[in-house]
Amino acid sequence: MEQYEPETLSAPQLAAIRRSMTSGRGALSRRSLLRAAGGGALALGGAAALSACGIPPATRAGETGTSDDYSDKEKKLNFSNWTEYIDVSDDNKRRPSLEEFERRTGITVKYTEDINDNVEFFGKIKPQLAAGQDTGRDLICVTDWLAGRMIRLGWVQKLDQSNVPHAYANLAEGFRNPDWDPVRAHSYAWTGIPAVVAYNEKATEGRKVTSVTQLLEDPRLRGRVGLLTEMRDTIGLTLLDMDKEPEDFQDDDFDAAIARIQKAVDRKQIRRFTGNDYVDDLDKGDIAACIAWAGDLVQLQADNPAIKFALPDAGFMMSTDNLLIPNKARHKKNAERFIDYVYEPKVAAQIAAYISYVCPVDGVREELAKIDKDLAANPLILPDEKFTEKAHTFRLLSSKEETAYEEKFAKLIGA
């Protein structure tokens, strides 16, 4: 794959993004039952921006994309994040972790909840990045596939690891070396988003559902199985069930996974491919078992004890949202200080208790237990070693691969 690709999107890619926006992760809210976590959520304006002619990268290999840093003179930090993706006080008037950072450092944080989906946000900042200009943001939080694209384009600054000692020391092992940013030279994880197997114990009459094989082949689940409309999650879990690595697979492996799912569709094993709407069906038992996003299950289990989840022996899929510093950011060191701050266990626990997604910070269990013992014991928030060992990521795709794969997947799910 070429290091820098034109940022044009094919028709299958655009279709997948629209599907994500209307029914997939892109349709989810960050704090309600469902949240937008990846796969390429898109507003139509963002689609238009990304489907335009390709823009060459602002920097080339070997260039740093750095700029003058005014952190020592200007005690400011401009941080763009998703909505309801950081701790808020009970009266909804304060953000305690941000206030403590300001008190401790004297840095004033302009915190903007202006990321509603990955591609729409990329469309906002792309013109400035392509022109080598300041986006007005010192720190952003985007999903792994977009983070990888921005790094590949040379639009993200390398971090000064001496400014992030807590982050360097406390980043959990499973998050340390993604293929799109080896050794985390440009990014640190904000949260992890697992895709696992879930089931309604009442609907299965007490039977456990623990594998994709059961989802696709158990006749007792016929017509009551849900798979996700997000290609990376559904195909990734199927590849794992076939003893293939999502991090390292070939075209033939992808085609075999498609064919296997197609057989289940033809047998009417699959009720439907779902986006965010699986939650209500799983809660009611209309879907007995499905592939689900772990953050949803934390919320569902609080209200319905019949909802269970399983980590397949073959493994499960994990994506991440990530903190990055765009090129030409005016306050790079201030941004690095904030990254380091949120990797302090006490601070990380405070944020994790509010957003209820996988915390990428080692050493937070004791601190989280002081806030909520149940959350501290929940592997969907604080994975144990067994959980982490089973986590897999979908390999970075070239534009050509993504076009071909999305076209085949769209045909499979009838999109």
Side-chain angles (χ1 to χ4, degrees), residues 52-323:
C53 295
I55 300 176
T59 60
R60 291 294 181 187
E63 295 182 13
T64 63
T66 59
S67 60
D68 293 337
D69 189 356
Y70 294 87
S71 293
D72 291 337
K73 298 178 181 178
E74 300 175 359
K75 297 297 184 180
K76 297 178 181 179
L77 172 65
N78 298 316
F79 180 17
S80 282
N81 203 354
W82 300 78
T83 57
E84 299 185 84
Y85 213 25
I86 199 167
D87 55 303
V88 177
S89 62
D90 291 341
D91 60 8
N92 291 317
K93 293 181 179 181
R94 299 182 300 106
R95 296 187 177 96
S97 63
L98 289 182
E99 290 183 0
E100 173 58 21
F101 176 75
E102 291 179 325
R103 185 199 66 76
R104 188 190 301 185
T105 64
I107 297 170
T108 299
V109 181
K110 180 182 178 183
Y111 184 79
T112 308
E113 295 177 318
D114 61 344
I115 306 180
N116 296 307
D117 62 74
N118 287 288
V119 178
E120 182 187 33
F121 180 70
F122 189 44
K124 291 179 183 178
I125 64 175
K126 180 178 178 180
Q128 293 99 321
L129 291 170
Q133 299 173 352
D134 181 10
T135 66
R137 298 165 176 87
D138 303 307
L139 191 64
I140 62 175
C141 181
V142 298
T143 305
D144 44 25
W145 67 269
L146 178 55
R149 177 175 292 176
M150 293 179 66
I151 292 169
R152 185 174 67 243
L153 286 168
W155 290 351
V156 176
Q157 298 193 51
K158 282 190 175 182
L159 300 172
D160 182 343
Q161 300 295 335
S162 67
N163 290 332
V164 289
H166 291 98
Y168 184 83
N170 295 336
L171 179 63
E173 183 63 32
F175 296 88
R176 282 192 174 271
N177 197 33
D179 62 354
W180 48 268
D181 187 22
V183 301
R184 289 285 182 180
H186 305 82
S187 68
Y188 274 93
W190 180 253
T191 55
I193 309 105
V196 299
V197 171
Y199 59 100
N200 184 318
E201 198 171 39
K202 288 185 178 179
T204 63
E205 298 180 338
R207 296 190 306 275
K208 295 182 179 181
V209 181
T210 63
S211 70
V212 171
T213 292
Q214 286 175 273
L215 294 179
L216 299 181
E217 299 177 11
D218 188 341
R220 294 172 296 183
L221 297 175
R222 186 174 183 268
R224 297 187 296 152
V225 171
L227 302 182
L228 291 173
T229 56
E230 295 289 348
M231 182 264 288
R232 285 169 174 80
D233 292 326
T234 292
I235 297 297
L237 279 162
T238 303
L239 286 169
L240 285 167
D241 196 68
M242 298 166 65
D243 294 324
K244 301 294 182 180
E245 297 288 323
E247 297 89 343
D248 183 23
F249 65 90
Q250 304 302 319
D251 290 348
D252 288 347
D253 300 322
F254 185 90
D255 290 344
I258 289 282
R260 187 180 182 205
I261 299 171
Q262 185 65 60
K263 288 181 180 179
V265 171
D266 295 342
R267 290 196 309 269
K268 301 189 184 303
Q269 179 79 1
I270 311 301
R271 180 182 180 90
R272 60 197 180 96
F273 292 86
T274 71
N276 57 328
D277 48 345
Y278 75 83
V279 172
D280 288 339
D281 285 348
L282 181 63
D283 189 37
K284 293 184 295 185
D286 293 339
I287 286 178
C290 64
I291 296 175
W293 292 305
D296 303 346
L297 302 179
V298 174
Q299 302 290 336
L300 275 174
Q301 289 178 322
D303 299 320
N304 185 349
I307 302 301
K308 308 293 182 181
F309 77 94
L311 303 180
D313 289 340
F316 65 95
M317 298 304 296
M318 175 79 83
S319 58
T320 55
D321 284 340
N322 307 273
L323 298 172

Side-chain angles (χ1 to χ4, degrees), residues 368-383:
L368 187 55
K370 296 175 184 178
I371 301 171
D372 189 317
K373 291 183 179 179
D374 290 337
L375 291 180
N378 192 329
L380 296 179
I381 299 174
L382 292 184

